[in-house]
Amino acid sequence: GAFLSAQSVADTLQVSKSLIFSKIQTVADYLNAYHLTLERKSHYGIRIRGNQAAIRQLMLALYMRSDNHFKAEADKRLGDFSKYQRLVEVTIQKYNLRVGYYEFQMLKTWLKVMVISEQLGPHQTLSQGVPMTTAFDDVFQAVLEDFALAPDIQAQVEFQQLVQKLVQPSSKPDIKVDRQSLEETLKTYFRQVDAEHQMDFSQDQDFLKQLTTHLMF
């Protein structure tokens, strides 16, 4: 990517330029752990160098830490991503896959990271991509199409490897859980809690949806 001045980085993070300079080596050491290099050039600024796979791993780690500048900026850029979260949930139920809640969050986050990394610049692409071999092919293709992204060879391979690592066929009986019924049960419960403790959990739709998703797993 292009060089960024220390001042522009400081303005983005809303810190002083002197703080940026004082933390340069710490940042460089952190990036090295992800096989990335912090390049510094006089009168130009700084930039991160490395392959896209390493950059995506860094983005994934930063996003999974939740409360930070990168996550906030990523969510702002991507907008409502609930459609793809729902597609992942439907796929898990359709194929009776064994996926933990953390693994589910990582799959969803990786798709977000893939969109952002692809928007940063051109990569090695194929007109028709490469054959997909996971249960989540439709989700991956939906993200590509909706965000107008060209099929990236490396990104597709990474996604396949991530799915193989995180997802296993279920050895449990196929127990059907009705999402709408579960969500209504939670609303009823939290209405009682709200009445007793003067809270407003039952009015927080995002909280109820996330809790429902967590319990579905």
Side-chain angles (χ1 to χ4, degrees), residues 41-177:
K41 190 173 182 179
S42 298
H43 309 299
Y44 285 87
I46 57 178
R47 67 179 177 181
I48 297 174
R49 298 299 300 273
N51 63 50
Q52 286 299 310
I55 290 174
R56 278 190 278 265
Q57 285 301 308
L58 172 63
M59 288 181 173
L60 183 63
L62 289 174
Y63 194 101
M64 291 296 286
R65 291 178 183 173
S66 296
D67 187 16
N68 56 59
H69 183 80
F70 174 74
K71 182 180 186 300
E73 288 299 314
D75 287 342
K76 180 179 178 181
R77 175 181 292 201
L78 293 169
D80 185 6
F81 212 75
S82 60
K83 170 185 174 180
Y84 312 103
Q85 172 175 317
R86 184 61 183 150
L87 285 175
V88 172
E89 293 177 29
V90 168
T91 300
I92 291 170
Q93 295 171 1
K94 178 180 178 181
Y95 293 103
N96 194 28
L97 300 173
R98 188 166 69 245
V99 182
Y101 186 69
Y102 176 80
E103 287 76 15
F104 163 73
Q105 291 292 340
M106 184 167 286
L107 280 173
K108 181 183 69 172
T109 299
W110 191 93
L111 289 169
K112 290 183 176 183
V113 164
M114 187 264 292
V115 173
I116 294 172
S117 69
E118 293 298 304
Q119 291 175 341
L120 293 178
H123 309 296
Q124 185 182 8
T125 63
L126 287 176
S127 59
Q128 296 181 338
V130 296
M132 296 292 287
T133 59
T134 77
F136 296 93
D137 296 4
D138 291 343
V139 184
F140 188 92
Q141 293 301 329
V143 172
L144 288 183
E145 292 173 9
D146 291 354
F147 286 91
L149 302 177
D152 179 343
I153 300 171
Q154 181 58 39
Q156 292 188 49
V157 172
E158 286 173 44
F159 184 68
Q160 291 175 345
Q161 293 173 341
L162 182 69
V163 171
Q164 291 171 1
K165 178 181 178 182
L166 299 180
V167 180
Q168 299 179 29
S170 178
S171 59
K172 301 177 181 179
D174 184 14
I175 301 173
K176 298 296 184 182
V177 179

Side-chain angles (χ1 to χ4, degrees), residues 199-212:
M199 306 295 285
D200 58 357
F201 288 116
S202 62
Q203 303 304 312
D204 190 335
Q205 297 302 315
D206 288 337
F207 164 72
L208 290 171
K209 288 184 183 300
Q210 291 299 322
L211 182 57
T212 302

